[in-house]
Amino acid sequence: MLLETKQLTKRFRNPGKGPGGVLAVSQANMTLNPGETVGLFGDSGSGKSTLGLMLAGLLRPTSGEILYRGEPVRMPYRGACRRNVQVLFQHPEVSFNPMLPLIRSMEEPYRVHKLPYSPEILHRDIARFGLRPEHMQRLPAELSGGELQRAALARVLVLSPEVLVLDEPTSMLDVITQAQMVHLLQEYQADHDTAYVFITHNRTLCDSLCNRVYRVDQGVVEEEGVKS
């Protein structure tokens, strides 16, 4: 088992809601195994993205715990867990500095995680996602939504993560680009046995991609069943 949560809970402070604040996620128990895709399905405001941010190590739980390969982890993630659990956001522009050419942001994971780097290595890695060297010299605002999301995906997958949290990764894309993104994700998973947490409000997409689905409703997380 790669990831497991035990009674994971998140409350946000809100003076208008009393001392208890707002309960976003309530005592969530879920598991994620190597190579599988687990869906977090729910309406806007249900708590699914909050749960995803905690799984990705970007949001500290109020209580409960997250286990990575059977061991409790602390926030923020460090060491192997920091590299092996990554996130792809709904809005890819948040992953890039809007004032810098894309190449500056794309070089960062190589530098931070001390990976072999050269322009040739970067060009090889981005080519798998339909990106060319000239894309790297543009500002993020000069790329289409699909190009920017492919760049964001390339940026996290260069780390070869074991877990990828996908927070509505196709909702801002047109239908054709959505299909291309889904194909890239499925192809990469087949080659690398990566586990996905797929966060979505699209039931059809959820059912077609996920091995198991957790429904999130007003912070309550319940597993719906296993795909046959």
Side-chain angles (χ1 to χ4, degrees):
M1 189 179 300
L2 284 177
L3 281 184
E4 181 181 7
T5 71
K6 293 185 176 181
Q7 303 292 302
L8 200 65
T9 297
K10 181 62 182 179
R11 289 183 180 272
F12 291 103
R13 293 181 180 178
N14 187 328
K17 298 294 183 179
V22 176
L23 181 62
V25 176
S26 176
Q27 299 182 335
N29 297 304
M30 63 172 291
T31 60
L32 179 69
N33 299 303
E36 75 170 343
T37 300
V38 165
L40 297 182
F41 171 76
D43 296 329
S44 296
S46 63
K48 61 186 186 298
S49 290
T50 298
L51 178 55
L53 289 174
M54 289 191 288
L55 292 173
L58 299 178
L59 185 63
R60 191 182 301 275
T62 303
S63 62
E65 62 181 354
I66 300 173
L67 287 77
Y68 170 69
R69 293 194 171 277
E71 296 294 330
V73 295
R74 295 181 178 180
M75 299 287 178
Y77 290 168
R78 299 184 183 277
C81 192
R82 181 187 177 197
R83 173 172 174 173
N84 288 331
V85 182
Q86 295 292 319
V87 61
L88 185 69
F89 296 104
Q90 177 182 12
H91 299 281
E93 61 271 16
V94 304
S95 300
F96 303 103
N97 188 324
M99 304 302 294
L100 297 177
L102 198 65
I103 189 170
R104 296 283 296 277
S105 297
M106 297 298 289
E107 291 171 337
E108 187 176 18
Y110 297 90
R111 182 178 68 254
V112 170
H113 294 278
K114 298 180 173 57
L115 302 176
Y117 176 79
S118 69
E120 291 75 21
I121 289 175
L122 176 61
H123 296 163
R124 178 201 66 196
D125 289 343
I126 65 173
R128 295 182 297 168
F129 302 93
L131 297 169
R132 301 184 299 276
E134 54 264 35
H135 287 121
M136 298 296 100
Q137 305 308 318
R138 301 175 188 172
L139 295 174
E142 296 174 328
L143 278 74
S144 70
E147 290 169 340
L148 207 55
Q149 190 66 300
R150 292 200 300 273
L153 182 61
R155 188 170 181 261
V156 296
L157 291 186
V158 70
L159 299 174
S160 300
E162 294 181 330
V163 177
L164 183 55
V165 178
L166 300 158
D167 191 1
E168 301 270 12
T170 64
S171 64
M172 304 300 292
L173 306 176
D174 61 68
V175 174
I176 294 176
T177 309
Q178 282 184 20
Q180 293 171 341
M181 180 62 63
V182 167
H183 177 73
L184 281 172
L185 289 167
Q186 290 177 318
E187 191 175 60
Y188 185 88
Q189 186 180 51
D191 291 340
H192 296 83
D193 204 34
T194 309
Y196 294 154
V197 177
F198 193 81
I199 302 170
T200 185
H201 65 274
N202 185 325
R203 187 70 216 206
T204 300
L205 191 59
C206 188
D207 288 340
S208 66
L209 292 179
C210 300
N211 304 107
R212 294 185 292 122
V213 176
Y214 291 89
R215 175 180 284 275
V216 186
D217 184 17
Q218 296 183 345
V220 177
V221 181
E222 295 182 343
E223 186 172 6
E224 290 194 336
V226 180
K227 182 186 295 186
S228 59

